[in-house]
Amino acid sequence: MRPIAPTTLTDGAAMFGALAHPARLAAFRHLVQAGQRGAVAGAIAGASQLSPSALSFHLKELAAAGLVRSWREGRYVRYALEVARLQGLIAFLVEECCQGRPELCGLPVEDRPATDGVPAAPASARS
Amino acid sequence: MRPIAPTTLTDGAAMFGALAHPARLAAFRHLVQAGQRGAVAGAIAGASQLSPSALSFHLKELAAAGLVRSWREGRYVRYALEVARLQGLIAFLVEECCQGRPELCGLPVEDRPATDGVPAAPASARS
DNA sequence: CCAATAATTCAATAGATCATGAAAAGTCCA
DNA sequence: TGGACTTTTCATGATCTATTGAATTATTGG
């Protein structure tokens, strides 16, 4: 499962925008906890006090940003995280923030052979 | 420098919202590259094709989310990242996404003594 | 087929966000 | 002090986002 990072600032902004609402963040968290199996819309609605149409609206926003996918299962629609895409967003943020040096972001660092002081490549130019 | 994570979903959503615009993402990246010293507004504007008032608007959004701070230096105003806050946002995302298991997010994992199979604590309940 | 269930779509509305340009507020230096 | 420079603020209008409830689509089981 290779991370799929946003390719442009506009794409990245759209992904952050998808998370920029408490109801969507709550749905996002619900789907994180649901794991790869996902959760049906009704279960997410039940946990979030949202009307069906409001939930549908917000899930569509998450899906438009590529953070979530959905499929029909009988009369239900099941949603699950696009884990690779989410990993891509985190990688994007870490790259922007840390320029390839995760420890600057407060993240744990992988145990690797010494690189003779050669720093990791900085974030490349992006439109 | 301890990460300062968002404390509520609303706070987290506001932080994501601050990054949910290409111009702000560009300014954010500029400030990342500027480091702790920061950059004056004019330098950011010059690199971003934004009018002074548009830039001011977007920097204010970043500041309102706590991602950026500013201070006056003579006739300039200098902006710099709030690194701890940014680390907090990443920690929040990793916690939500990975429930304490960074490898699920595609992140490198700190080399630690074995934990006898006891998993890390999951993300705690948050309003 | 029909009724019940699950979810989405749609229209209307309210509110938030954004771009623009003019005006104003600080600061510096001659 | 006065003019130049940097940045912010403000008002306007345009566009985007969110909420609501009614209508619609899809599916199941009787």
Side-chain angles (χ1 to χ4, degrees), chain A residues 40-65:
Chain A
V40 301
I44 304 171
S48 69
Q49 317 288 343
L50 288 173
S51 71
S53 73
L55 180 75
S56 193
F57 170 80
H58 288 301
L59 288 174
K60 196 164 70 171
E61 296 284 304
L62 287 169

Side-chain angles (χ1 to χ4, degrees), chain A residues 1-8 10-12 14-15 62-68 81-92:
Chain A
M1 180 91 70
R2 166 181 278 99
I4 301 174
T7 54
T8 63
T10 299
D11 188 21
M15 293 184 79
L62 287 169
L67 283 166
V68 150
L81 281 188
E82 284 285 7
V83 177
R85 182 78 167 152
L86 179 54
Q87 288 180 0
L89 183 62
I90 292 173
F92 174 83

Side-chain angles (χ1 to χ4, degrees), chain A residues 63-115:
Chain A
L67 283 166
V68 150
R69 83 195 111 88
S70 68
W71 61 97
R72 183 170 279 277
E73 279 185 4
R75 70 172 81 175
Y76 302 91
V77 175
R78 187 170 288 271
Y79 286 84
L81 281 188
E82 284 285 7
V83 177
R85 182 78 167 152
L86 179 54
Q87 288 180 0
L89 183 62
I90 292 173
F92 174 83
L93 190 52
V94 167
E95 201 182 307
E96 294 299 304
C97 156
C98 313
Q99 300 171 78
R101 289 175 295 164
E103 70 279 9
L104 291 185
C105 289
L107 293 169
V109 177
E110 194 169 16
D111 195 28
R112 264 191 296 217
T115 56

